[in-house]
Amino acid sequence: MAGTTAHYGAQTKARKAALDILFMAEQRDASISETFAEQRTLRGGVVRELTTRIVLGVAEHQHDIDARIEDSAADGWHLERMPAVDRNIARLAVFELYYTDTPPVAVIAEAVRLASDLSTDESPTFLNGLLSKALAAKPDTN
């Protein structure tokens, strides 16, 4: 997959880097914050601002984010049943939908794009539906 990031813009690369850290932490059964700190050290301290915001935001709000994903998933699709890539794409997208001012259409489009490039053929449609439902459940903040 190393070659797939060449066509990504800066925002997508930042989200992909965040996804990599979230995925790595889960695979290692390590804390997101510790994995992030380790990766930042390996990269010489250079990490995109958006990557930092997403990773630390997911770490801070993971319980709430996971609950929102569970509430938005189709019946029977619990977090553990989702492919790890999809689960972590959903986490970063739900974080952005609920805790940032990023336009929801951009968040969902980016999540679907990452899923198209990195996960199963069914993943883009699955995540589009899940994230649309999560957005619809978001309390109106106006």
Side-chain angles (χ1 to χ4, degrees):
M1 291 281 163
T4 61
T5 59
H7 65 281
Y8 287 169
Q11 299 298 309
T12 306
K13 286 180 182 177
R15 288 181 179 94
K16 168 70 170 66
L19 174 61
D20 289 346
I21 292 166
L22 296 174
F23 183 84
M24 186 182 307
E26 183 175 301
Q27 294 303 302
R28 293 176 167 181
D29 197 24
S31 94
I32 294 170
S33 298
E34 288 173 12
T35 303
F36 174 69
E38 173 188 289
Q39 290 303 303
R40 197 156 105 182
T41 299
L42 291 173
R43 295 175 186 179
V46 179
V47 178
R48 288 179 172 88
E49 181 182 333
L50 179 59
T51 300
T52 301
R53 193 173 35 187
I54 291 170
V55 170
L56 296 181
V58 171
E60 180 180 350
H61 301 285
Q62 186 172 355
H63 181 74
D64 180 56
I65 290 167
D66 285 355
R68 292 183 190 284
I69 293 168
E70 288 270 352
D71 290 346
S72 300
D75 289 338
W77 277 98
H78 301 286
L79 276 173
E80 308 81 45
R81 191 170 170 207
M82 293 176 198
V85 172
D86 294 0
R87 183 171 45 246
N88 285 293
I89 291 172
R91 284 177 175 145
L92 72 88
V94 168
F95 167 74
E96 283 197 274
L97 289 172
Y98 275 78
Y99 297 97
T100 73
D101 293 331
T102 307
V105 68
V107 171
I108 294 172
E110 289 278 290
V112 167
R113 181 176 186 185
L114 287 170
S116 294
D117 289 350
L118 303 171
S119 197
T120 70
D121 290 343
E122 297 81 21
S123 295
T125 302
F126 170 75
L127 284 168
N128 187 53
L130 184 145
L131 296 173
S132 295
K133 190 171 178 184
L135 178 61
K138 181 179 177 183
D140 188 13
T141 56
N142 293 334

